[in-house]
């Protein structure tokens, strides 16, 4: 191998193997360094670009750190009231069935204030994709306990750790929606390592392909980090997530269509 | 046998210094610069560029999509 191949020789369009999707805007995201929200946005954008459906897809943004999703994804996006994204997405999809529709929600949005909307949209089998970011905390508002906060996990509203006797058990939304007849494809993934990112991207692609076939609700949980809320560096937060979150929220498919 | 060689370009001003790319690289190409960008973040740099295979791992984990990867047979 000739090690004298210069950078200049390699940096040519024909050698390009990875660049940020053009479905992402040029804005710098408002996410903290190392936050999984950015990676999740990026792969959604990549799938949309690969399927060439940028003008045929409508996203519904939640309340939470990703409330400004429309600034980062160059798509038609409607921001919904806290927790109501699946209801708003239901209306959009029913009015415009030819469009692809997805919601993007964090755990405070999807599993607390929006539990009813989530469960009923899934139970009705609305033909939408729900992307659920589970970082076990309310990020935007300063690290309060979420329904998904682990037992013993400290947050600003559970400073001594979550006590299940008084605060309940961490809610496994993905397990719940998988039991509903309306859901078609239900999976739990993550985006902290290259292999996980690639798998999650495949799951998003699958969900949108099923939506094209009117198969029902596809639900993708992404177990993610919140370095700021957890008060860790990004690298530490991913390690903590693998060691502590994954045993309670194991990755894998919960409902896989027979056609697969 | 043909070998592949890669090269990365980091959009320095958009890097948030999270270091996830450093740990994702199987060949230790990347380190954080002692210098900072306008936002005050130490940014990622390819300090060991000859070891890059263009595998794209760093770019795939970068939450901010600031890494572009090139690869060619040499
Ligand atoms: C009706 C209503 N209640 C409360 C709030 C305050 N609020 C804003 S973000 C948020 C929690 C978001 O947490 P999560 O969904 O986990 O998202 P993250 O910020 O972690 O991404 C709350 C309670 C609100 N905006 N609207
Ligand atoms: S507060 Fe947490 S979830 Fe929100 S952007 Fe920062 S790290 Fe991400
Ligand atoms: S492309 Fe692969 S080998 Fe090159 S810097 Fe990135 S992770 Fe390392
Ligand atoms: S992963 Fe991206 S944002 Fe984080 S240090 Fe590397 S290049 Fe910078």
């Amino acid at each position: 191998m000739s090690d004298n191949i210069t950078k200049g020789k390699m940096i040519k369009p024909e050698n390009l193997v990875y660049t940020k999707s053009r479905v992402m805007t040029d804005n710098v995201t408002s996410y903290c360094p190392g936050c999984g929200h950015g990676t999740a946005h990026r792969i959604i954008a990549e799938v949309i670009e690969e399927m060439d459906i940028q003008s045929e897809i409508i996203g519904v943004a939640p309340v939470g750190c990703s409330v400004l999703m429309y600034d980062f994804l160059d798509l038609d996006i409607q921001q919904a009231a806290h927790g109501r994204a699946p209801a708003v997405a239901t209306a959009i999809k029913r009015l415009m069935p030819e469009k692809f529709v997805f919601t993007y929600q964090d755990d405070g949005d999807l599993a607390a204030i929006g539990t009813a909307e989530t469960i009923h949209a899934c139970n009705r089998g609305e033909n939408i994709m729900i992307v659920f970011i589970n970082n076990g905390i309310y990020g935007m508002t300063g690290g309060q306990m979420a329904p998904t906060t682990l037992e013993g996990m400290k947050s600003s509203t559970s400073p001594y750790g979550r006590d299940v006797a008084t605060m309940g058990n961490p809610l496994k939304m993905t397990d719940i929606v998988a039991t509903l007849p309306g859901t078609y494809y239900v999976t739990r993934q993550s985006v902290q390592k290259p292999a996980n990112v690639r798998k999650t991207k495949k799951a998003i692609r699958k969900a949108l392909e099923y939506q094209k076939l009117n198969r029902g609700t596809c639900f993708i949980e992404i177990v993610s980090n919140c370095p700021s809320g957890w008060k860790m560096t990004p690298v530490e937060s991913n390690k903590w997530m693998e060691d502590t979150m994954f045993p309670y929220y194991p990755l894998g498919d919960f409902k896989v269509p027979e056609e697969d | 046998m043909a070998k592949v060689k890669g090269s990365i370009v980091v959009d320095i001003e958009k890097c948030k210094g999270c270091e996830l790319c450093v740990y994702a690289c199987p060949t230790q190409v990347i380190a954080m610069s002692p210098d900072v960008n306008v936002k005050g973040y130490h940014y990622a740099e390819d300090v060991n560029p000859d070891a890059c295979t263009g595998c794209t791992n760093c770019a795939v984990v970068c939450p901010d999509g600031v890494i572009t990867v090139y690869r060619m047979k040499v």
Side-chain angles (χ1 to χ4, degrees), chain A residues 23-214:
Chain A
V23 173
M24 294 291 289
T25 66
D26 284 334
N27 297 332
V28 175
T29 69
S30 49
Y31 303 125
C32 307
C35 174
H37 273 304
T39 316
H41 281 15
R42 252 194 39 236
I43 53 177
I44 291 171
E46 287 170 15
V47 171
I48 291 170
E49 180 173 350
E50 284 162 22
M51 290 176 76
D52 197 18
I53 55 170
Q54 188 175 10
S55 57
E56 293 161 51
I57 187 161
I58 300 171
V60 185
V63 167
C65 290
S66 46
V67 66
L68 301 176
M69 188 170 78
Y70 48 79
D71 273 347
F72 315 133
L73 291 174
D74 189 10
L75 302 174
D76 286 333
I77 291 177
Q78 174 63 51
Q79 202 279 314
H82 206 6
R84 312 303 182 232
V88 174
T90 296
I92 295 173
K93 185 71 184 185
R94 288 185 180 198
L95 287 166
M96 289 179 269
E98 73 287 0
K99 297 280 188 190
F100 291 89
V101 178
F102 72 99
T103 73
Y104 183 97
Q105 303 171 258
D106 211 290
D107 43 13
D109 189 86
L110 180 141
I113 195 168
T115 313
E117 284 76 5
T118 305
I119 288 184
H120 288 291
C122 290
N123 195 46
R124 294 191 304 268
E126 298 296 340
N127 196 25
I128 58 174
M129 171 173 80
I130 295 178
V131 178
F132 165 38
I133 307 295
N134 176 7
N135 57 16
I137 206 161
Y138 285 15
M140 186 196 215
T141 43
Q144 291 84 357
M145 191 181 81
T148 47
T149 299
L150 296 175
E151 181 175 0
M153 183 175 164
K154 288 186 179 149
S155 70
S156 63
T157 48
S158 59
Y160 305 110
R162 183 180 188 150
D163 167 32
V164 298
T166 53
M167 303 166 195
N169 286 286
L171 195 56
K172 296 184 173 184
M173 283 300 281
T174 302
D175 306 49
I176 295 171
V177 302
T179 65
L180 303 174
T183 51
Y184 191 67
Y185 170 52
V186 180
T187 189
R188 183 187 287 129
Q189 302 294 339
S190 67
V191 291
Q192 86 289 11
K193 285 202 170 133
N196 300 97
V197 179
R198 293 186 174 103
K199 269 182 102 169
T200 308
K201 185 175 162 185
K202 277 194 191 134
I204 293 166
R205 174 77 192 235
K206 262 198 205 175
L208 290 176
E209 296 287 356
Y210 293 140
Q211 188 172 146
K212 208 182 332 189
L213 303 171
N214 292 309

Side-chain angles (χ1 to χ4, degrees), chain B:
Chain B
M1 201 183 82
K3 274 196 163 179
V4 285
K5 212 168 153 7
S7 188
I8 63 165
V9 177
V10 179
D11 188 347
I12 290 168
E13 292 307 332
K14 287 190 173 157
C15 171
K16 292 180 184 164
C18 71
E19 305 189 15
L20 297 187
C21 54
V22 174
Y23 292 88
C25 176
T27 52
Q28 287 81 48
V29 171
I30 310 173
M32 304 314 288
S33 171
D35 295 331
V36 293
N37 61 19
V38 283
K39 290 250 170 101
Y41 294 122
H42 292 282
Y43 52 85
E45 249 183 343
D46 56 342
V47 292
N48 186 15
D50 288 342
C52 180
T53 61
C55 71
T56 75
N57 277 2
C58 53
V60 163
V61 295
C62 174
D64 291 89
V66 306
I67 302 179
T68 302
V69 186
Y70 297 85
R71 181 166 61 213
M72 68 186 280
K73 287 204 176 91
V74 289

